[in-house]
């Protein structure tokens, strides 16, 4: 009886207030405030260098930017459009933010990347703040740093896809829940966590997974774990969970009411697809990206470098703390396990599905990092990673420049030949950094190498690769061929073609079969042959276009593009369906 009372007293003991940053023990500099400011600038540069130097790139970026562009130009905010067709694959929140960013900046090159940048910086700030409240400034700063330079995080957060924004919402939801469950009672933060879990749902459906944190919390509460808050108040729990539905209903009800009121069958089909086809059906019976149940283990080992290098030391340390019933470890680690299990049960898997687990992994590592990064084995592993990657880039670049092997020639067909000079520069910079930092300062060396890699890629690589990857060059060439006053009809187009099109264009549907698009395009061209050109993917023309009379436009996104006028059309010919007709850059 006395033992239970003692345990209950320790469990419910008020959490010690977080020390002011001015009194925190610094890690490198003389002031914790200066360290935090320096890290913020470092993170902004690492993630933001290159913004404004490129247009959206496939696979997903042109799709979302095109939808956002259509919202601004045509006011189609509730029902997203990809050209004249509805786009039912994703809810519109991410595209809303891109459109709003454009209204502020008036530059699509800047606006389309801003939601991801804001989500990345916000995630780093949340991980730092929560780790500092749970442990201390030094652990928190290292946790934010290891998250920033983990390859999966750095790469994905520099892209304009939905998953970086989803990571931001889920991390904010986790932050609010953990402030309540570990540092509470804090009912306002619980409400914040539930609300942004709902925002995650209307961003990509799976934001509800943040609420899985309540499962390890219930386990910890039932088992009288240490460092756990014990808030009471049943109506407050229910009220917070109701807030989860608020953003969902704020989007869902207007959409349903409009679809019901206008009677448009396309809107009814959109509602059916977005609510069921892209959620339940896609999870239970996906059509692509089929992998084994152990797929995500490989992603953690490779994509989570260098964080994954710490796991052989971290796993035993976590196990010891779990045996001590420390809830600060059970909640984030238990949530990661539940997230992995949820996505592993589905046959369809992509690496980005487990991206939201990274911040929680960094949080759980936070108190271990000051000791781990001083271990000789960890330092050697990080140095080996830096040397391996830098050497591989250097050797590949030298071979490509001097020997021109077949694999290099194949790569040059899709990328500019100057790519090898970029890789050579990054590789040599990495080797120099490794030589200077050596084993003792290997973690700092990886930090510097990551900065050089992403900085050079953004400032040098973006402008170099943009013309081909964004289809800007091929669309400018198409306009030069057609002239300023002609209208270009797009056949078998990709989102980047319509997005980068210069001057008047027409399109005949994105998902429509190529044969139907071809028939409509030829009929459209026949009505005004003097001022209408057709821009087409090579395969979509089949044998129905005389290439001797057509004009080759160029190569972009691993595809060949042509333009032709009415005199190049073979009368009465209908192109045969192609096996690659339904292929896309990525779902």
């Amino acid at each position: 009886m006395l033992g239970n009372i003692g345990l209950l007293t320790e469990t419910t003991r008020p959490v010690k207030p977080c020390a002011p940053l001015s009194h925190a023990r610094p890690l490198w500099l003389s002031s914790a405030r200066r360290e935090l400011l320096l890290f913020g600038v470092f993170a902004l540069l690492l993630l933001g260098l290159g913004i404004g130097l490129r247009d959206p790139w496939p696979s997903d970026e042109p799709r979302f930017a095109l939808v956002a562009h259509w919202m601004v130009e045509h006011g189609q905010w509730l029902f997203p459009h990809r050209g004249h067709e509805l786009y039912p694959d994703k809810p519109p929140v991410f595209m809303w933010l891109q459109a709003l960013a454009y209204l502020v900046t008036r530059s699509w090159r800047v606006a389309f990347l801003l939601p991801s940048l804001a989500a990345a910086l916000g995630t780093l700030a949340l991980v730092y703040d929560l780790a500092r409240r749970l442990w201390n400034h030094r652990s928190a700063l290292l946790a934010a740093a290891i998250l920033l330079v983990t390859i999966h995080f750095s790469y994905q957060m520099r892209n304009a896809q939905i998953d970086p924004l989803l990571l931001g919402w889920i991390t904010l939801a986790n932050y609010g829940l953990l402030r309540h469950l570990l540092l509470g009672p804090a009912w306002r933060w619980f409400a914040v966590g539930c609300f942004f879990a709902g925002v995650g749902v209307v961003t990509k459906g799976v934001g509800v997974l943040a609420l899985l944190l309540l499962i390890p919390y219930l386990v910890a509460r039932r088992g009288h774990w240490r460092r756990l808050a014990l808030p009471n108040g049943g109506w407050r729990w229910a009220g917070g969970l109701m807030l989860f539905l608020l953003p969902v209903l704020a989007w869902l009800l207007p959409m349903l009411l409009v679809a019901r009121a206008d009677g448009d069958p396309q809107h009814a089909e959109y509602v059916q697809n977005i609510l069921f086809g892209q959620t339940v059906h896609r999870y239970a019976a996906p059509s692509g990206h089929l992998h084994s149940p152990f797929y995500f283990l490989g992603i953690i080992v490779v994509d989570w470098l260098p964080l994954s290098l710490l796991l052989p030391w971290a796993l035993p340390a976590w196990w010891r703390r779990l045996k001590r019933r420390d809830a600060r470890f059970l909640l984030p680690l238990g949530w990661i396990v539940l997230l992995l299990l949820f996505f592993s049960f589905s046959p369809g898997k992509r690496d980005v599905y487990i991206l939201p687990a990274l911040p929680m992994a960094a949080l759980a590592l936070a108190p271990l990092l000051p000791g781990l990064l001083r271990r000789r084995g960890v330092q050697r592993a990080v140095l080996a990673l830096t040397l391996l990657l830098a050497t591989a880039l250097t050797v590949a670049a030298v071979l490509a420049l001097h020997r021109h092997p077949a694999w290099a020639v194949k790569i040059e067909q899709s990328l500019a030949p100057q790519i090898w000079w970029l890789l050579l520069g990054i590789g040599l910079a990495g080797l120099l950094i490794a030589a200077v930092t050596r084993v003792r300062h290997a973690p700092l060396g990886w930090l510097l190498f990551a900065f050089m890699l992403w900085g050079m890629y953004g400032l040098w690589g973006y402008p170099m690769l943009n013309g081909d990857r964004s289809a800007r060059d091929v669309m400018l060439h198409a306009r030069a061929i057609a002239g300023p006053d002609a209208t270009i009809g797009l056949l078998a187009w990709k989102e980047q073609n319509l997005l980068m099109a210069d001057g008047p264009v027409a399109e005949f549907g994105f998902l429509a079969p190529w044969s139907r698009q071809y028939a409509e395009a030829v009929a459209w061209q026949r009505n005004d042959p003097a001022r209408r050109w057709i821009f087409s993917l090579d395969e979509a023309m089949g044998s129905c276009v005389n290439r001797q009379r057509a004009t080759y436009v160029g190569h972009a996104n691993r595809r060949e593009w042509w333009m032709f006028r009415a005199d190049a059309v073979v009368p009465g010919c209908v192109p045969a369906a192609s096996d690659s007709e339904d292929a896309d850059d990525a779902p």
Side-chain angles (χ1 to χ4, degrees):
M1 181 72 170
L2 292 177
N4 291 336
I5 293 175
L7 179 60
L8 182 61
T9 303
E10 181 183 14
T11 306
T12 58
R13 184 180 298 148
V15 178
K16 183 179 179 181
C18 181
L21 194 59
S22 58
H23 295 95
R25 182 185 174 190
L27 185 63
W28 293 306
L29 304 178
S30 59
S31 166
R33 290 184 181 275
R34 292 179 182 175
E35 286 181 342
L36 191 58
L37 178 61
L38 179 63
F39 175 75
V41 173
F42 179 84
L44 178 62
L45 292 175
L46 187 146
L47 295 169
L49 282 175
I51 290 180
L53 298 180
R54 73 171 176 93
D55 300 290
W57 291 353
S59 57
D60 297 325
E61 290 182 350
R63 184 175 307 139
F64 302 136
L66 180 62
V67 172
H69 198 280
W70 200 267
M71 289 176 174
V72 173
E73 284 197 345
H74 301 274
Q76 297 285 354
W77 295 85
L78 193 56
F79 291 94
H81 280 69
R82 175 171 46 191
H84 289 93
E85 288 182 350
L86 286 168
Y87 176 66
D89 290 6
K90 298 292 185 295
V93 170
F94 179 66
M95 290 75 89
W96 285 345
L97 293 180
Q98 286 187 317
L100 292 175
Y102 170 77
L103 294 177
V104 173
T105 64
R106 292 294 169 178
S107 170
W108 282 112
R109 275 194 167 190
V110 174
F112 85 98
L113 284 166
L114 286 186
S116 296
L117 177 63
L121 296 176
T123 297
L124 293 171
L126 292 170
V127 168
Y128 169 81
D129 186 74
L130 189 56
R132 186 171 73 91
R133 292 174 185 275
L134 290 173
W135 291 288
N136 54 61
H137 163 76
R138 293 161 62 87
S139 296
L141 190 62
L142 289 174
I146 193 67
L147 174 62
L148 172 64
V149 297
T150 295
I151 294 173
H152 204 194
F153 184 86
S154 304
Y155 174 75
Q156 293 294 342
M157 303 310 278
R158 290 176 59 91
N159 294 330
Q161 299 180 353
I162 291 181
D163 298 283
L165 182 63
L166 177 67
L167 175 142
W169 295 140
I170 290 182
T171 303
L172 182 52
N174 287 342
Y175 176 91
L177 294 175
L178 290 173
R179 284 288 301 267
H180 179 60
L181 302 177
L182 293 177
L183 297 169
W187 290 105
R188 291 183 180 179
W189 280 115
F190 178 68
V192 167
C194 293
F195 178 83
F196 281 100
V199 175
V201 169
V202 296
T203 300
K204 200 185 174 181
V206 294
V208 66
L209 296 179
L211 299 182
L212 291 178
L213 262 175
L214 296 176
I215 296 177
Y217 171 76
L218 292 175
V219 172
R221 184 161 181 163
R222 186 181 180 88
H224 304 291
W225 284 58
R226 300 168 52 246
R227 305 286 187 173
L228 191 71
L230 297 176
N232 294 315
W235 68 270
R236 288 184 171 182
W237 289 104
L241 293 175
M242 287 299 294
L243 282 174
F244 164 77
L245 298 176
L246 186 61
V248 178
L249 295 176
W251 163 68
L252 187 61
L253 289 180
M255 180 185 67
L256 293 176
L257 291 174
V258 171
R260 182 178 179 85
D262 62 20
D264 189 336
Q266 292 188 29
H267 287 170
E269 184 180 355
Y270 173 88
V271 171
Q272 177 71 20
N273 200 332
I274 195 70
L275 295 183
F276 302 103
Q278 297 299 323
T279 52
V280 178
H281 178 76
R282 190 164 186 173
Y283 178 83
S287 59
H289 299 284
L290 304 179
H291 298 284
S292 78
F294 305 103
Y295 169 76
F296 291 119
L297 296 181
I299 296 299
I300 291 173
V301 171
V302 178
D303 289 15
W304 285 20
L305 289 168
L307 185 149
S308 58
L309 291 177
L310 306 180
L311 294 181
W313 292 272
L315 290 174
W318 283 335
W319 179 246
R320 289 192 296 270
R321 284 154 178 80
L322 291 175
K323 288 198 294 186
R324 297 174 199 158
R325 294 176 175 258
D326 191 334
R328 295 175 299 178
F329 294 90
L330 176 66
L331 266 63
L333 292 175
W335 183 79
I336 292 172
V337 171
L338 292 174
L339 186 77
L340 290 173
L341 289 176
F342 176 84
F343 286 117
S344 295
F345 285 144
S346 174
K349 302 174 182 66
R350 296 181 66 191
D351 62 317
V352 292
Y353 290 175
I354 63 166
L355 185 63
L358 256 179
M360 290 300 99
L363 177 69
L365 275 172
L368 311 178
L369 288 172
L372 283 179
L373 296 180
R374 289 195 298 266
R375 295 183 68 99
R376 203 67 169 175
V378 171
Q379 293 172 351
R380 287 172 177 165
V382 175
L383 178 63
L385 175 63
T386 306
L387 284 172
L388 180 63
L389 185 55
T391 301
L393 292 175
T394 303
V395 171
V398 170
L399 287 175
L401 289 169
H402 293 283
R403 296 290 182 89
H404 306 289
W407 56 265
V409 174
K410 185 177 181 180
I411 291 176
E412 290 174 7
Q413 293 175 356
S414 301
L415 302 173
Q418 296 86 352
I419 188 68
W420 305 119
W421 292 106
L422 170 62
L423 298 183
L424 181 62
I426 295 173
L428 291 176
L431 293 175
L432 178 61
I433 289 171
V436 172
T437 57
R438 300 187 180 182
V439 175
R440 183 178 179 182
H441 300 292
L444 177 61
W446 177 263
L447 208 69
L448 297 175
F449 179 53
F451 182 80
M452 293 297 299
L453 189 156
W454 297 116
M456 293 177 69
Y457 178 57
L459 296 177
W460 185 0
Y462 280 5
M464 178 196 308
L465 303 174
N466 185 60
D468 177 86
R469 294 212 61 190
S470 70
R472 172 175 286 273
D473 287 353
V474 78
M475 297 314 296
L476 289 176
H477 190 202
R479 175 52 59 188
I481 293 171
D485 300 324
T487 302
I488 299 175
L490 303 180
L491 170 60
W493 52 282
K494 296 298 179 183
E495 291 97 342
Q496 56 268 26
N497 299 124
L498 181 56
L499 183 65
M500 292 290 105
D502 182 32
V505 295
E507 44 94 3
F508 312 98
F510 182 82
L511 297 177
W514 290 352
S515 56
R516 187 196 306 170
Q517 291 188 45
Y518 176 86
E520 292 183 7
V522 169
W524 165 83
Q525 185 181 53
R526 194 181 301 121
N527 291 331
D528 191 359
R531 294 188 299 175
R532 291 181 177 178
W533 287 75
I534 294 178
F535 173 89
S536 176
L537 181 66
D538 181 84
E539 293 93 325
M541 299 189 302
S543 58
C544 295
V545 175
N546 185 344
R547 283 167 174 75
Q548 299 297 323
R549 297 182 178 180
T551 303
Y552 176 69
V553 182
H555 175 94
N557 308 124
R558 305 185 305 275
R559 298 175 175 90
E560 309 300 327
W561 299 94
W562 292 75
M563 286 183 67
F564 58 90
R565 306 186 74 166
D567 60 352
V569 176
V570 177
C573 181
V574 178
S578 169
D579 292 337
S580 60
E581 181 167 339
D582 296 326
D584 200 356
D585 298 299

